[in-house]
Amino acid sequence: MLAAFSVAPSGGEQPDASVHDAVAAAVDIVRRSGLPHRTDSMFTTIEGEWDEVFGVIKEATEAVGQFGTRVSLVIKADIRPGYTGEIDGKLERLEAAIEERAEN
């Protein structure tokens, strides 16, 4: 499965409402998990089996909780049993389709 998630604290003490320290704590947990992952400006996507992916998301959410009085968590999952390597595979198929359209 692929799971894209965004986690952020609220009610923290940062005067500019910045959440980069909290997000860094979450991304560090994802990186240490050893699971395939990708982080962009809005989400972190992680690939693996249900229990391992959601275990990492839970740990990352708990880490972010230390930076505020509440935590917001958004998750979108692509569940495709029997497939692995989709964190790159989906992008490769997209780029091939774009290239094919450009040639036609």
Side-chain angles (χ1 to χ4, degrees):
M1 80 177 305
L2 292 173
F5 74 101
S6 174
V7 60
S10 61
E13 298 179 8
Q14 294 289 349
D16 64 353
S18 180
V19 296
H20 61 270
D21 290 330
V23 172
V27 171
D28 182 53
I29 287 166
V30 172
R31 289 180 178 177
R32 286 188 287 113
S33 75
L35 295 175
H37 63 277
R38 183 172 289 120
T39 299
D40 61 37
S41 61
M42 296 292 293
F43 287 92
T44 293
T45 303
I46 186 169
E47 182 172 23
E49 298 297 322
W50 274 93
D51 291 340
E52 59 190 2
V53 166
F54 277 92
V56 171
I57 292 172
K58 179 182 179 189
E59 188 178 347
T61 302
E62 290 170 346
V64 167
Q66 297 175 23
F67 291 85
T69 57
R70 300 178 95 144
V71 176
S72 172
L73 173 63
V74 175
I75 302 172
K76 181 172 181 171
D78 180 359
I79 302 151
R80 196 170 184 193
Y83 286 79
T84 59
E86 290 298 286
I87 198 165
D88 293 319
K90 289 178 81 169
L91 292 175
E92 291 165 1
R93 290 189 298 276
L94 171 63
E95 291 299 330
I98 291 169
E99 187 175 312
E100 183 178 318
R101 289 178 57 84
E103 292 171 359
N104 293 330

